[in-house]
Amino acid sequence: MGATVAVFRNNDGGLIRTATSKISATSAPIIEANAIRDSLIIATNMNINNLIIETDCQELYQAIKSNSSIAKV
C-alpha cells in the first residue's frame, strides 16, 4: 500500500492545487508512475500545458529516460 501526492504551483510558486490518493502496488516505481499519470490527468483537466514533474524515484527516472518499461525495474 502506498500514497501519492501532487502539488501544483504557478510560476511564482503559489499553490494552485494539491491531490492525494492511496494505491496498492507492487513496487515504488509503479506507485510513482501512477502519481505522475494522475498528475498528468489533473493537469490536462485544468488546461495546464507547461508542467514540470519531479520525482525522487531513481528507478522510474531511469526507465523514463531510457524509454524502458517499468515492468522491467
Side-chain angles (χ1 to χ4, degrees), residues 6-18 48 50-51:
V7 178
F8 293 84
R9 296 186 179 277
N10 63 19
N11 293 342
D12 299 321
L15 185 63
I16 298 173
R17 178 179 176 176
T18 61
I48 296 172
N50 187 8
L51 188 66

Side-chain angles (χ1 to χ4, degrees), residues 13-24:
L15 185 63
I16 298 173
R17 178 179 176 176
T18 61
T20 62
S21 65
K22 291 182 183 176
I23 185 171
S24 178

Side-chain angles (χ1 to χ4, degrees), residues 6 13 19 25 30 35 46 49 59 64 70 73:
I30 291 175
M46 294 175 61
N49 56 15
E59 292 173 276
I64 291 169
I70 60 170
V73 288

Side-chain angles (χ1 to χ4, degrees), residues 2-70:
T4 66
V5 177
V7 178
F8 293 84
R9 296 186 179 277
N10 63 19
N11 293 342
D12 299 321
L15 185 63
I16 298 173
R17 178 179 176 176
T18 61
T20 62
S21 65
K22 291 182 183 176
I23 185 171
S24 178
T26 57
S27 69
I30 291 175
I31 292 171
E32 191 82 6
N34 277 287
I36 291 172
R37 182 200 65 201
D38 292 348
S39 297
L40 291 171
I41 291 168
I42 292 168
T44 300
N45 290 339
M46 294 175 61
N47 293 317
I48 296 172
N49 56 15
N50 187 8
L51 188 66
I52 296 171
I53 296 175
E54 297 179 353
T55 180
D56 62 353
C57 184
Q58 186 68 23
E59 292 173 276
L60 179 61
Y61 175 78
Q62 289 174 343
I64 291 169
K65 196 168 180 175
S66 67
N67 203 25
S68 300
S69 170
I70 60 170

